Amino acid sequence: MRTHMFGFVAAALVAASSSSVLADQATFAPLKDNTLYQDPVGGTSNGMGETMFAGNTAQSSTRRALIAFDLSGIPAGSTIQSVTLTMSMSRTRAGGQSVALYRVLADWGESTSYAGIPGGSGSGAEPGDATWLHRFYPDTPWSTIGGQFTPTSSASTVVSGVAFYSWSSAQLAADVQAWVNNPGSNFGWIARGNEASGTTAKSFDTRHHADVSKRPRLVVNFTAPAGYGACCMADGTCRVQNDAGCTSIGGTFQGAGTVCGPTNSCPQPTGACCFADTSCIQLTQAACTAQGGNFNGPNTSCGSIICPRVLTKFVDALPVPPVAQPTTGTIGGAATYDAVISQFQQQLHRDMPPTTVWGINGTYPGPTFEASTGLPVSITWMNDLRDAQGNLRTTHYLPVEPCLHGPDILGSAPRLVMHLHGAKTPRESDGHPDDTFLPGQEDTDTHPNDQSALTMWYHDHALGLTRLNVYMGIAGAYILRDNEERNLNLPSGEFEIPLIIQDRSFNNDGSLRYNSGFDDRFYGDVVVVNGKAWPFLNVKRGKYRFRIVNGSNSRTYSLSLSNNANYTQIGSDGGLLAAPVSVSTITVAPGERADVVIDFATYSAGTEIMLRNDAPINFPGAPGDGVIPEVMNFVVQSQAGHQGAIPVTLRAVPRIPESQARVVRTINFQQMAFPCTGTAWLINGLLWDDIVETPRLNTTEVWRFVNRSPIMHPMHMHLVQFQILDRQAFEIVNNLPVGVGPRVLPLANEAGWKDTVQTYPGEITRVIARFTGYSGMYPYHCHILEHEDHEMMRQMAVLPACPCDFNNDAIIDSRDYFAFIASFFANNGDINFDNATTSQDFFDFLSCFFAGCPS
Ligand code: C2O
Ligand code: CU
Ligand code: CU
């Protein structure tokens, strides 16, 4: 960047002396730097790398570092007195090696190749990069391979351990003098290490290193020609100019003989300096930094800037949502519940005023429902959303997009409908997006809980409003248990905690901030866990079971521990895995759950371990893009906690054989033109009311999710728990996706039961599901809530089981006839036409057989 190239730093303006000319000092950051990697084809470089290398690898392959500076800040005619190059050596094998600088004799390039960290092997050169063979890859070779440079070095220094090292010599000053006299000859230096034996390479930090203090710098002491002096610019920078030159660039000339370095004494402009509590003071940059503020730039004004509130992390204890209290029945048993959804204020961080949220029975997130397999639970959801005056709301709290499907007909009142995500529930209790109820209305859902133990979560599902209703807070955990799981003695009670992770943005008054227009994504800048921003949890020295729910609108998290320790995943969306899986990172997309065990037994009291995230937004995205690195903190206490071992096997997860599937469906997703929002995320180009997927109850299907978009979509199906078969890259041939390359099986922690699957760009993700339980209309959709509201959500019509489909293959043919006859004569009660095997069954079967299945 230009500002770095001309980075004069620091020092007092010294008054001109009439007799002597004072020496000035300038400090420069590199204009470019790169590494030449010895290879026979010259295809390797590292233009964007954080490191550069000099010396030989263990295989005696040579690396040479190139570095150049823009010296145009030193006026022509100046006399160079001394020059010092300082570099940070960041990685090395033991031992001192001499690293020498040679003047480069031809121009060379730095382009966009990037070898990552440490970068010692380099990466494929990009056009314009310097390589061992090229000044500019791929067309402009060096005249001498390995670079053109002077035969004798200008300076050398022995570098050994990790430290800063400097090069300085009369010849180095002579090099700079030559470049100031003839800027067209300035191609910088090449650094060569010990090239006489192997394993001598030293790694230096480049101008791309994240830590500015570790980037190379060149300090030049010089005397400017007579008449030159310091020229102060409005932004506070200092340039060496004569009077006329200074005036022509809009600066204020300080007089001949005044200097810019080593300390810049130009008057520093003030700017808006923001503090964590949202206050703003007009200060210079130095004063702002000294007072712990955040400088908004020279000449910015507090009058026109709103300082964001900065929340201190890990100062609030993690809340554990209360367990829902039944109105009849027992917690964890058959029971009925009243759940009142209302608007209230809740404090989401110590340093922030209370936030208006929507929650259930007075809490956000809502209470945790406890249930057991086979014991039904009925919940009466009451929409009691009222405005600040106490009147039932007729409008939403957040801006509604009126042209989206849903609000286009039903308007902006806060309609709700509650869905239990992960449940096998009759259609009328599944939270169908069309079944919304208004403020003042209620709706009862009954969940039979005829499924094995799993972590579910409930959330609003109103057509065209889901993203807003969930963002306001309408979500919570629902935990289904069974005896098989109870017998495993996993951590429970105080050692079992749901973690509902969501990202939010806030205005300075504490209110929730959401995109004002309709956007196809939402990313907050604060992580809220169980309703507190960046909380901490005091943990005893033992195992904890955390049921992680990604309840965010769009954000995916890749969760790891700050001490890089592994932890254990025991379950996924649909319940326990077959066996525990040791993981260092788990990626959870919106809607997904991860059931994990973290063991704190080996840490001493006082140890702090952060649960951190490194997933970029627009996942899989560019590394670092929009990442909120902190999620929450664990603080280890002295008491012992849960010590029991995690069993080596958890439960049987039989694979559904692919041969069972009678139907394969292809589900394409793509962004397409759409009248309401310009473009929309759609499935197969169809809309919510276009119903073409009709799986039949008690049959098995394979669904191929084809992602023709640049981001990952977490695809969720209601009613079923499926298994991931595989993922495969594809190409489009005649506008149809055709798989290419290997079919990649799911990782162990994805090989259990799932209801939401990460489908990656350019891949076909195949899942297999058996449709059991209930027939009717069930949604399937992308769980990025903005996409769901876009209509990246459709319905499948699960058709009733066919009574004459005796072998459940969704085809009525002679095999069914033989299967029926076999049952009939075995009199095995499998006939089901009139509950007794009589000749009437035979006639009933025949009429069904010829009439075909009901649709
Ligand atoms: Cu969690 Cu249809 O959604
Ligand atoms: Cu769901
Ligand atoms: Cu999506």
Side-chain angles (χ1 to χ4, degrees), residues 106-121:
D107 201 9
W108 51 273
E110 175 199 82
S111 183
T112 55
S113 58
Y114 176 61
I117 298 171
S121 323

mmCIF file of all heavy atoms in Angstrom, residues 106-121:
data_model
loop_
_atom_site.group_PDB
_atom_site.id
_atom_site.type_symbol
_atom_site.label_atom_id
_atom_site.label_comp_id
_atom_site.label_asym_id
_atom_site.label_seq_id
_atom_site.Cartn_x
_atom_site.Cartn_y
_atom_site.Cartn_z
ATOM 1 N N ALA A 106 17.465 -6.601 -11.932
ATOM 2 C CA ALA A 106 16.344 -6.549 -12.884
ATOM 3 C C ALA A 106 15.041 -6.578 -12.097
ATOM 4 O O ALA A 106 14.979 -7.100 -10.981
ATOM 5 C CB ALA A 106 16.409 -7.736 -13.849
ATOM 6 N N ASP A 107 14.019 -6.038 -12.694
ATOM 7 C CA ASP A 107 12.726 -5.937 -11.997
ATOM 8 C C ASP A 107 12.089 -7.327 -11.836
ATOM 9 O O ASP A 107 12.363 -8.242 -12.612
ATOM 10 C CB ASP A 107 11.788 -5.018 -12.794
ATOM 11 C CG ASP A 107 10.665 -4.468 -11.930
ATOM 12 O OD1 ASP A 107 10.706 -4.666 -10.691
ATOM 13 O OD2 ASP A 107 9.750 -3.833 -12.485
ATOM 14 N N TRP A 108 11.237 -7.460 -10.840
ATOM 15 C CA TRP A 108 10.609 -8.750 -10.528
ATOM 16 C C TRP A 108 9.241 -8.487 -9.910
ATOM 17 O O TRP A 108 8.922 -7.345 -9.571
ATOM 18 C CB TRP A 108 11.476 -9.563 -9.559
ATOM 19 C CG TRP A 108 11.898 -8.775 -8.337
ATOM 20 C CD1 TRP A 108 13.005 -7.974 -8.237
ATOM 21 C CD2 TRP A 108 11.210 -8.672 -7.086
ATOM 22 N NE1 TRP A 108 13.057 -7.375 -6.997
ATOM 23 C CE2 TRP A 108 11.969 -7.792 -6.261
ATOM 24 C CE3 TRP A 108 10.053 -9.244 -6.576
ATOM 25 C CZ2 TRP A 108 11.587 -7.467 -4.960
ATOM 26 C CZ3 TRP A 108 9.677 -8.923 -5.279
ATOM 27 C CH2 TRP A 108 10.442 -8.041 -4.486
ATOM 28 N N GLY A 109 8.456 -9.545 -9.756
ATOM 29 C CA GLY A 109 7.070 -9.317 -9.357
ATOM 30 C C GLY A 109 6.612 -10.063 -8.116
ATOM 31 O O GLY A 109 7.168 -11.070 -7.708
ATOM 32 N N GLU A 110 5.578 -9.516 -7.557
ATOM 33 C CA GLU A 110 4.864 -10.168 -6.466
ATOM 34 C C GLU A 110 3.403 -10.202 -6.895
ATOM 35 O O GLU A 110 2.804 -9.157 -7.118
ATOM 36 C CB GLU A 110 5.014 -9.346 -5.183
ATOM 37 C CG GLU A 110 4.204 -9.885 -4.017
ATOM 38 C CD GLU A 110 3.985 -8.825 -2.927
ATOM 39 O OE1 GLU A 110 3.057 -8.001 -3.078
ATOM 40 O OE2 GLU A 110 4.732 -8.822 -1.953
ATOM 41 N N SER A 111 2.840 -11.404 -7.003
ATOM 42 C CA SER A 111 1.441 -11.510 -7.407
ATOM 43 C C SER A 111 0.639 -12.200 -6.298
ATOM 44 O O SER A 111 0.992 -12.063 -5.120
ATOM 45 C CB SER A 111 1.355 -12.241 -8.744
ATOM 46 O OG SER A 111 0.024 -12.298 -9.175
ATOM 47 N N THR A 112 -0.373 -12.947 -6.657
ATOM 48 C CA THR A 112 -1.334 -13.403 -5.643
ATOM 49 C C THR A 112 -1.115 -14.837 -5.176
ATOM 50 O O THR A 112 -1.976 -15.390 -4.501
ATOM 51 C CB THR A 112 -2.762 -13.284 -6.185
ATOM 52 O OG1 THR A 112 -2.836 -14.000 -7.418
ATOM 53 C CG2 THR A 112 -3.135 -11.846 -6.421
ATOM 54 N N SER A 113 -0.004 -15.474 -5.517
ATOM 55 C CA SER A 113 0.218 -16.828 -4.995
ATOM 56 C C SER A 113 0.298 -16.760 -3.476
ATOM 57 O O SER A 113 0.769 -15.777 -2.901
ATOM 58 C CB SER A 113 1.522 -17.406 -5.545
ATOM 59 O OG SER A 113 2.602 -16.577 -5.199
ATOM 60 N N TYR A 114 -0.178 -17.810 -2.834
ATOM 61 C CA TYR A 114 -0.183 -17.800 -1.377
ATOM 62 C C TYR A 114 0.062 -19.209 -0.867
ATOM 63 O O TYR A 114 -0.704 -20.127 -1.170
ATOM 64 C CB TYR A 114 -1.524 -17.277 -0.844
ATOM 65 C CG TYR A 114 -1.588 -17.339 0.658
ATOM 66 C CD1 TYR A 114 -0.676 -16.608 1.426
ATOM 67 C CD2 TYR A 114 -2.518 -18.151 1.305
ATOM 68 C CE1 TYR A 114 -0.706 -16.687 2.814
ATOM 69 C CE2 TYR A 114 -2.550 -18.217 2.689
ATOM 70 C CZ TYR A 114 -1.636 -17.486 3.435
ATOM 71 O OH TYR A 114 -1.664 -17.571 4.794
ATOM 72 N N ALA A 115 1.111 -19.389 -0.091
ATOM 73 C CA ALA A 115 1.502 -20.733 0.356
ATOM 74 C C ALA A 115 1.047 -21.040 1.782
ATOM 75 O O ALA A 115 1.374 -22.084 2.310
ATOM 76 C CB ALA A 115 3.015 -20.884 0.252
ATOM 77 N N GLY A 116 0.298 -20.138 2.384
ATOM 78 C CA GLY A 116 -0.144 -20.403 3.764
ATOM 79 C C GLY A 116 1.017 -20.303 4.741
ATOM 80 O O GLY A 116 2.085 -19.791 4.421
ATOM 81 N N ILE A 117 0.776 -20.780 5.966
ATOM 82 C CA ILE A 117 1.789 -20.700 7.012
ATOM 83 C C ILE A 117 2.201 -22.119 7.380
ATOM 84 O O ILE A 117 1.316 -22.940 7.590
ATOM 85 C CB ILE A 117 1.219 -19.961 8.240
ATOM 86 C CG1 ILE A 117 0.858 -18.527 7.833
ATOM 87 C CG2 ILE A 117 2.209 -19.945 9.395
ATOM 88 C CD1 ILE A 117 0.091 -17.765 8.900
ATOM 89 N N PRO A 118 3.480 -22.511 7.454
ATOM 90 C CA PRO A 118 4.629 -21.630 7.344
ATOM 91 C C PRO A 118 4.999 -21.220 5.917
ATOM 92 O O PRO A 118 5.673 -20.220 5.750
ATOM 93 C CB PRO A 118 5.750 -22.463 7.964
ATOM 94 C CG PRO A 118 5.317 -23.875 7.823
ATOM 95 C CD PRO A 118 3.826 -23.863 7.891
ATOM 96 N N GLY A 119 4.616 -21.949 4.901
ATOM 97 C CA GLY A 119 4.850 -21.493 3.528
ATOM 98 C C GLY A 119 6.156 -21.952 2.916
ATOM 99 O O GLY A 119 6.503 -21.526 1.819
ATOM 100 N N GLY A 120 6.888 -22.830 3.618
ATOM 101 C CA GLY A 120 8.209 -23.235 3.158
ATOM 102 C C GLY A 120 8.217 -23.971 1.831
ATOM 103 O O GLY A 120 9.244 -23.997 1.151
ATOM 104 N N SER A 121 7.083 -24.567 1.444
ATOM 105 C CA SER A 121 7.077 -25.293 0.167
ATOM 106 C C SER A 121 6.611 -24.418 -0.978
ATOM 107 O O SER A 121 6.607 -24.848 -2.127
ATOM 108 C CB SER A 121 6.155 -26.509 0.240
ATOM 109 O OG SER A 121 6.227 -27.108 1.490
#
